[in-house]
Amino acid sequence: MKSIKVGLLGLGTVGTGVVRIVEGHQEDLQRKVGCPIEIEQILVKDKRKQRSIPLPTAKLTEDPADIIDNPDIDIVIEVMGGIAQAKELMLQAIARGKHVVTANKDLMAQHGAEILAQAAEKQCDVLYEASVAGGIPILRTLVNGFSSDRITKIMGIVNGTTNYILSKMSQEGASYEEVLREAQQLGYAEADPTSDVEGMDAAYKMAILGTLGFHTHVAMEDVSVKGISQVSKEDILYGQRLGYEIKLLGIAERKNDAISLSVQPTMVKQTHPLASVNGVFNAVYVYGEAVGETMFYGPGAGEMPTATSVVSDLVAIARNIMLGVSGKTSLAPYNEKKLMSDEQVVSKNFLLLHVADRAGVLSQITQVFAKHDVSLESVLQQPNEHNPLAEIIIITHDASRAGMNRVLAELEQLDVVQLIKSVYRVEG
Amino acid sequence: MKSIKVGLLGLGTVGTGVVRIVEGHQEDLQRKVGCPIEIEQILVKDKRKQRSIPLPTAKLTEDPADIIDNPDIDIVIEVMGGIAQAKELMLQAIARGKHVVTANKDLMAQHGAEILAQAAEKQCDVLYEASVAGGIPILRTLVNGFSSDRITKIMGIVNGTTNYILSKMSQEGASYEEVLREAQQLGYAEADPTSDVEGMDAAYKMAILGTLGFHTHVAMEDVSVKGISQVSKEDILYGQRLGYEIKLLGIAERKNDAISLSVQPTMVKQTHPLASVNGVFNAVYVYGEAVGETMFYGPGAGEMPTATSVVSDLVAIARNIMLGVSGKTSLAPYNEKKLMSDEQVVSKNFLLLHVADRAGVLSQITQVFAKHDVSLESVLQQPNEHNPLAEIIIITHDASRAGMNRVLAELEQLDVVQLIKSVYRVEG
């Protein structure tokens, strides 16, 4: 009986999980694929390092060529991370006719088009379910589950670190700095948390989701990004009073043929299913013209959840090999890319202003909104506890990003506006 | 260029949605399949009936043979409902080498094994995503998304009618009878609501989910079923006070190799993601050994959501035709069926008792639990507003179904226990 042979690039957290699942679920996997799946060689940095799983030394190698140039290996799993070497090894593997599974969101978001094009040419499969939202099978849901539908909106809580921080700030009234420090101690945030907290990690994932959901190639520069480091306790508190939770949302939208992608802290109505997704969990909300509202929820990271997605991709590729349809089941983006202008991107907005506490101020401010045709859903004015200024919280009706920018520019010129403390997109 | 030709059995709500999607999304579908998809013939009861969509009369027929015996038709979509005729036509279609998509949960739950066996023999595909949870692509998620994992628990809110009723009772403090009447007026419940409110509809869906999730053939008689008609305002109120919402949950569990399936009103902890699924929405919570907790949320019924699932199945089958792998991608259940005994089925439980309001009563009652080794998580005693009895609410720790039955039998014998008002399984 034939067996499918796998080369594993990397034996960190996810790689270890992959070995556990392939060995622990071998019998089930055989039923599903039709033949055994064997991990043949594993690329590690140091063969002598102590491992949490028992592995024969003969399976470990420090030389990538033992995998890439090994003609017995059918499928390469890339879980080493990083960009340059991972990309080079994947392209070499594909050049030698090997199929690839990767969990590398940075790489797929930035170089996915190139890698997939080379894979198509060589009739190789490349799958990357684990690159977005860990254990949630969201990529195959977009590609297969909703193959009949026209997806018009994808909103994702796709970064566990920031969702943990915002959830804690919301539940405990703690400050961003306090919670970040705690998250770092618990290992939920990295020593250098920039990619997570500034929204880059989420942006990579939204580029991948947008590409698959809208069938058009989304590049990283198409995603406008704002992180959570400016979110304050006050913002969260005022949001809650008005019925909102702040979440770092990736939002991909399509109207007619134009698309828009962004990542930003967003006021999400507490009744919306995304509002109650807390801690390190991820969730992706998908709106399709025909199906309407759906949401997919699960662990966004971690050894075993991420490994589940990697091995499910491995099973899919192994099945394709057994069926003789390798390289024939994927679909390249077929829509031309058109980005929405700032006039076309429309949302509700939340503003917190510090203003002079005297007669006529609210009238001056609301005139600015009226002038630019931005109508208001609710306005709340109250004295500020700490200084002689008043605070005004405004929630607008749907307004274009361009219109809001005109409003903000003009508000900044008003004498009575001391500070535009916060501006958030509103959803739900 | 070849085209894939479809015969549609039935042009009710879902059938109409299928026509809308196939026509409205034709260009996208062609990209995905690689050739046009054409609806060739539609079986209707009355050709002359007025329709909400324009259709050439030549496409309509009142004779099933125009579809079943039409050699041009590759795929038959069964959306006529009912059991006997639908089954007969599906088997005839398969006998003639046609592939089948169906939304018929009753049929697949009761005769799925027979239909799938015949399909395997004739190398035909049979897909039925729309039979469970409308627009949520949960079947392919179990089969493909979690192909690498060992699923140990599936909990579903899979009946929109009962979820609407329970949500309304919870939100408005209304009685079952009041809300049922309102739901019937709104068209959310049928004139004869038995199959929904007594849990049969949910049981069909759980049999299908259990079969695919556990790779073993679950029959309808393996599912223990209890409906919501006995749920009272008081139960909901007391549940809420203790932090629970009552939901009609289908629960499929696996421990070692044994499985258990049930449908019953269940106290779900308010922090559990299923607790906030309200109205006619469905959600399926899946626990996998490796992935952990996941949940899939969306519309459980309706013309367009259900049609989305039907047409996604159509796309999958059409792709298989184009790839030449028809009948080769499905997997028959491969595990022998072992059902858990009542000693093995374990859960927390909620009890509401009416008891005599005198000294020593609580002691007598708690002794019964202790005798049968059922330990208690919390006990709440309070006077009843309407009569001289007291009410005792007990939440147990995990206890076997058999142990609980022994406790209940003995409680019934106690003089001081006037009434065992309610008993609910507790989850979350």
Side-chain angles (χ1 to χ4, degrees), chain A residues 25 28 148 295 297 308 334, chain B residues 25 28 148 295 297 308 334:
Chain A
H25 297 178
D28 272 303
S148 61
M295 191 180 83
Y297 167 94
T308 305
Y334 54 79
Chain B
H25 297 178
D28 272 302
S148 61
M295 192 180 83
Y297 167 94
T308 304
Y334 53 78

Side-chain angles (χ1 to χ4, degrees), chain B residues 15-141:
Chain B
T16 304
V18 169
V19 174
R20 281 192 219 276
I21 293 180
V22 171
E23 297 192 342
H25 297 178
Q26 183 60 228
E27 199 184 321
D28 272 302
L29 295 178
Q30 281 195 37
R31 299 271 190 179
K32 287 166 186 177
V33 172
C35 77
I37 292 185
E38 284 172 37
I39 295 183
E40 186 80 358
Q41 285 280 294
I42 304 173
L43 178 68
V44 295
K45 284 196 196 114
D46 178 1
K47 281 175 72 166
R48 283 150 307 180
K49 187 178 157 190
Q50 276 285 71
R51 310 273 166 191
S52 61
I53 41 173
L55 279 168
T57 325
K59 292 217 172 200
L60 302 181
T61 175
E62 295 171 10
D63 180 3
D66 286 343
I67 290 174
I68 303 301
D69 295 331
N70 183 339
D72 289 343
I73 287 179
D74 306 287
I75 303 173
V76 169
I77 297 179
E78 183 278 305
V79 283
M80 56 197 289
I83 301 273
Q85 197 195 1
K87 180 184 173 193
E88 184 55 33
L89 292 178
M90 277 171 63
L91 289 174
Q92 285 176 14
I94 293 167
R96 285 158 184 72
K98 298 187 195 309
H99 312 287
V100 174
V101 179
T102 178
N104 197 323
K105 60 194 166 289
D106 315 33
L107 180 54
M108 289 310 291
Q110 293 178 66
H111 305 284
E114 179 188 349
I115 291 165
L116 294 171
Q118 177 163 345
E121 202 176 296
K122 301 290 289 183
Q123 298 239 335
C124 288
D125 286 329
V126 174
L127 293 179
Y128 44 102
E129 182 68 74
S131 66
V132 180
I136 309 173
I138 185 64
L139 302 191
R140 37 172 54 76
T141 296

Side-chain angles (χ1 to χ4, degrees), chain B residues 407-415 417 420:
Chain B
V407 166
L408 292 170
E410 196 154 330
L411 286 177
E412 281 191 345
Q413 300 306 315
L414 285 188
D415 280 350
V417 174
I420 299 176

Side-chain angles (χ1 to χ4, degrees), chain B residues 266-284:
Chain B
T266 304
M267 291 277 176
V268 182
K269 203 153 212 170
Q270 280 160 349
T271 50
H272 192 280
L274 285 168
S276 47
V277 175
N278 288 316
V280 293
F281 276 90
N282 278 197
V284 182

Side-chain angles (χ1 to χ4, degrees), chain B residues 237-277:
Chain B
L237 195 68
Y238 289 137
Q240 287 177 330
R241 276 199 209 152
L242 294 166
Y244 296 92
E245 294 289 339
I246 299 184
K247 296 288 177 191
L248 183 69
L249 285 198
I251 302 179
E253 305 173 90
R254 166 156 70 166
K255 269 180 219 143
N256 303 319
D257 287 337
I259 63 169
S260 167
L261 289 99
S262 61
V263 171
Q264 67 269 296
T266 304
M267 291 277 176
V268 182
K269 203 153 212 170
Q270 280 160 349
T271 50
H272 192 280
L274 285 168
S276 47
V277 175

